[in-house]
Amino acid sequence: MSKVKLNFDRLSIPEKVARAQQVVAAMTGNTNFTTPTPTLAALTTAINELETATSDAQAARREA
């Protein structure tokens, strides 16, 4: 199976979140990706967790 290079390593965390959300949106309902691995639900959960962790870290940094 081929792999797609997304160049996530050069993005900031907010940019990674936005790009990942775009990928999920593009793959949702797309007949070319009927059973992606990981699932779109798992990917969405990971995106949300990263977003939450980032905002928690920023809040903690402001408090310190």
Side-chain angles (χ1 to χ4, degrees):
M1 175 183 266
S2 299
K3 292 189 176 189
V4 177
K5 185 170 180 169
L6 300 174
N7 292 324
F8 270 70
D9 58 329
R10 296 188 176 147
L11 301 176
S12 68
I13 292 175
E15 291 171 330
K16 287 177 184 179
V17 168
R19 175 80 57 91
Q21 289 170 333
Q22 289 174 345
V23 169
V24 170
M27 291 178 67
T28 300
N30 188 326
T31 57
N32 293 314
F33 302 100
T34 55
T35 55
T37 303
T39 64
L40 296 179
L43 186 55
T44 299
T45 298
I47 294 166
N48 292 338
E49 289 173 356
L50 176 60
E51 200 167 24
T52 299
T54 301
S55 65
D56 290 348
Q58 287 175 346
R61 187 175 55 214
R62 277 187 236 121
E63 288 179 20

